[in-house]
């Protein structure tokens, strides 16, 4: 007799955002929005050290975009997370007020474009660092628009954004990656991420 093999039909992966994805994004963004608000105190502590020293901790304001993407790994969450975190910061009475909305959109887009460049399939620390730098580049546009750097000398301008880029890579990149790995170790992220091709291949074993 011929052995009859059961055919397992596998549904294609749905990469669209589910309600659970949005809920997790909002919850994490609320927490980070609170961190954003109180991070201003840390930012101000660095200011007197040397010119533009506060840029060394600026990268924390990009971490919502990178961390949430590393946790959920779906298109759009980096932008949503950054904007949501900014809204929380505004509700807490941020000194930058409504300006944060423009910052959050451009910072989120900067990170989102980097993840998109890797087709949302790379989740390493180095890719997260590049996404952090992408967010930092996005933050330059509002700086110019609001005239915050209009009177800067060239050396000061270069120093400012080089330090911001380094901070973005370290904090929004490698720190976010380390946090995501720590969360991953708890098994929570298995309920958040789309099933991979390797998971499907395991069905044939």
């Amino acid at each position: 007799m011929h052995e009859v093999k059961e055919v397992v039909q596998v549904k294609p992966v749905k990469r669209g955002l589910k309600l659970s994805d949005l809920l997790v994004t909002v919850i994490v963004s609320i927490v980070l929005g609170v961190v954003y608000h109180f991070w201003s105190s840390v930012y101000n502590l660095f200011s007197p050290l040397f010119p533009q020293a506060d840029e060394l901790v600026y990268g924390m304001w990009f971490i919502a975009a990178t961390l949430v993407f590393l946790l959920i790994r779906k298109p759009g969450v980096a932008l949503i997370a950054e904007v949501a975190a900014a809204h929380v910061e505004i509700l807490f009475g941020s000194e930058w007020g409504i300006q944060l909305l423009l910052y959050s959109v451009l910072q989120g887009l900067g990170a989102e474009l980097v993840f998109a460049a890797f087709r949302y399939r790379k989740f390493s620390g180095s890719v997260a660092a590049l996404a952090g730098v992408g967010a930092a580049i996005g933050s330059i546009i509002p700086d110019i628009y609001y005239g915050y750097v209009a009177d800067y000398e060239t050396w000061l301008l270069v120093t400012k954004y080089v330090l911001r880029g380094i901070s973005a890579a370290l904090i929004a990149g490698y720190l976010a990656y380390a946090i995501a790995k720590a969360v991953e170790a708890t098994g929570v992220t298995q309920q958040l991420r789309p099933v991979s091709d390797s998971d499907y291949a395991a069905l044939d074993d």
Side-chain angles (χ1 to χ4, degrees):
M1 295 180 66
H2 295 287
E3 182 181 356
V4 178
K5 293 185 178 180
E6 182 181 357
V7 177
V8 179
Q9 292 185 340
V10 180
K11 295 181 180 180
V13 179
K14 294 182 179 180
R15 297 190 63 85
L17 294 177
K18 300 180 296 183
L19 178 59
S20 59
D21 299 326
L22 294 173
L23 288 175
V24 171
T25 298
V26 170
I27 291 171
V28 175
S29 298
I30 288 173
V31 174
L32 292 176
V34 175
V35 173
Y36 281 11
H37 175 69
F38 290 104
W39 197 251
S40 296
S41 300
V42 178
Y43 182 78
N44 292 333
L45 286 175
F46 276 73
S47 298
L49 298 180
F50 58 85
Q52 303 305 312
D54 45 18
E55 295 292 336
L56 290 172
V57 294
Y58 200 102
M60 181 59 74
W61 282 308
F62 310 139
I63 200 171
T66 52
L67 178 58
V68 171
F69 175 78
L70 291 173
L71 293 175
I72 297 179
R73 299 184 176 181
K74 287 186 178 180
V77 294
L79 174 58
I80 294 171
E82 191 69 12
V83 173
H87 275 78
V88 174
E89 191 178 1
I90 292 170
L91 289 175
F92 267 82
S94 170
E95 60 185 284
W96 290 287
I98 202 69
Q99 294 180 10
L100 291 179
L101 292 182
L102 179 58
Y103 276 96
S104 65
V105 170
L106 293 173
Q107 290 166 186
L109 280 175
E112 194 77 45
L113 288 173
V114 172
F115 292 129
F118 290 94
R119 302 180 66 183
Y120 298 102
R121 294 179 180 176
K122 300 292 184 181
F123 318 107
S124 65
S126 58
V127 171
L130 286 174
V133 173
I137 293 172
S139 72
I140 296 174
I141 299 173
D143 278 357
I144 296 172
Y145 177 76
Y146 290 118
Y148 291 145
V149 293
D151 299 325
Y152 278 37
E153 296 182 17
T154 302
W155 71 270
L156 194 59
L157 196 66
V158 172
T159 300
K160 181 181 183 70
Y161 291 117
V162 167
L163 292 179
R164 184 177 297 186
I166 293 172
S167 176
L170 294 177
I171 299 177
Y174 292 108
L175 177 59
Y177 178 76
I179 294 172
K181 294 297 287 185
V183 174
E184 187 179 66
T186 68
V188 173
T189 53
Q190 294 179 6
Q191 307 301 319
L192 303 176
R193 295 171 180 170
V195 181
S196 66
D197 293 338
S198 60
D199 295 324
Y200 287 146
L203 296 174
D204 298 327
D205 294 341

